[in-house]
Amino acid sequence: MNSDAVLLLETVHFAAEKHRNQRRKDAEQTPYINHPVGVARILSHEGGITDIEVLQAALLHDTVEDTDTTPAELEAKFGPIVARIVQEVTDDKSLPKQERKRQQVEHAPHCSRQAKLVKLADKLYNLRDLNRCTPVGWTAERVQEYFVWACEVVKGLRGTSSALEEKLDELFRQRGVQL
């Protein structure tokens, strides 16, 4: 097996272990690992991304935010570039939700191209998921507010991947969200 395949399998395994007891908030309680794997697949399949470190960061993008994983652990296992990309897309969970959302909008334009790619694919996955099924307890209004907020984040990521941005734009148009 080539070294990129070995790296990706090691990364998938690590992410699966870290997220093993987590579920998405949909009615089916989808295994959480489907999300980071789906984000990496969007990057490779739809975005044409072959940068192994970006794909690894996509697989790991929620580990620091949602598990006991530390940035130092990621750096030791996957190197400084992957750890940096993950840090760039990680919210500070000690802050209130509205502040975290505000910071995502504010920080998006200042991220590296690699982190912007992960953020674009993450937003695309989440918006498609919201169209597929509403999370338990979410109103139609809350879903629409998420689309509006996601559009604000995506505005700061523009110029990174026309393929992913076009797919996001189509979702925003379908929801009547002003681009």
Side-chain angles (χ1 to χ4, degrees):
M1 225 183 320
N2 73 35
S3 59
D4 283 355
V6 171
L7 277 173
L8 278 181
L9 287 171
E10 230 3 80
T11 308
V12 169
H13 178 74
F14 181 91
E17 283 296 312
K18 291 294 186 169
H19 292 297
R20 74 180 169 275
N21 296 320
Q22 296 176 328
R23 302 280 178 198
R24 294 285 279 177
K25 295 175 183 172
D26 56 9
E28 297 91 33
Q29 293 195 313
T30 307
Y32 193 87
I33 191 61
N34 291 11
H35 170 65
V37 169
V39 171
R41 185 177 186 279
I42 285 170
L43 284 168
S44 67
H45 186 72
E46 298 179 61
I49 303 303
T50 57
D51 179 332
I52 192 72
E53 290 159 326
V54 171
L55 298 174
Q56 286 180 284
L59 290 164
L60 299 167
H61 79 273
D62 280 336
T63 56
V64 172
E65 191 172 313
D66 294 339
T67 76
D68 63 356
T69 307
T70 65
E73 181 181 11
L74 287 182
E75 184 166 347
K77 192 145 182 72
F78 302 105
I81 295 171
V82 172
R84 175 191 47 80
I85 298 166
V86 172
Q87 272 303 108
E88 284 187 81
V89 300
T90 297
D91 286 350
D92 179 350
K93 284 289 198 92
S94 71
L95 298 174
K97 187 176 184 176
Q98 284 309 116
E99 177 59 16
R100 292 193 313 261
K101 290 176 84 169
R102 187 193 69 73
Q103 284 190 7
Q104 274 201 45
V105 172
E106 186 179 298
H107 292 143
H110 310 292
C111 289
S112 67
R113 180 176 186 279
Q114 293 165 313
K116 286 179 178 182
L117 286 167
V118 173
K119 285 182 96 49
L120 284 168
D122 183 40
K123 293 293 178 258
L124 186 54
Y125 185 100
N126 285 337
L127 295 173
R128 286 174 173 167
D129 217 31
L130 284 173
N131 277 339
R132 182 182 63 81
C133 65
T134 304
V136 174
W138 281 43
T139 62
E141 181 183 36
R142 183 170 175 189
V143 170
Q144 188 67 14
E145 286 170 0
Y146 186 94
F147 270 81
V148 170
W149 166 75
C151 186
E152 289 304 307
V153 175
V154 168
K155 284 178 185 175
L157 305 172
R158 294 261 176 225
T160 306
S161 167
S162 58
L164 298 180
E165 291 166 41
E166 286 169 18
K167 292 171 189 301
L168 283 156
D169 290 347
E170 180 57 31
L171 291 176
F172 294 136
R173 276 193 292 279
Q174 289 170 5
R175 285 278 177 165
V177 175
Q178 289 296 106
L179 302 173

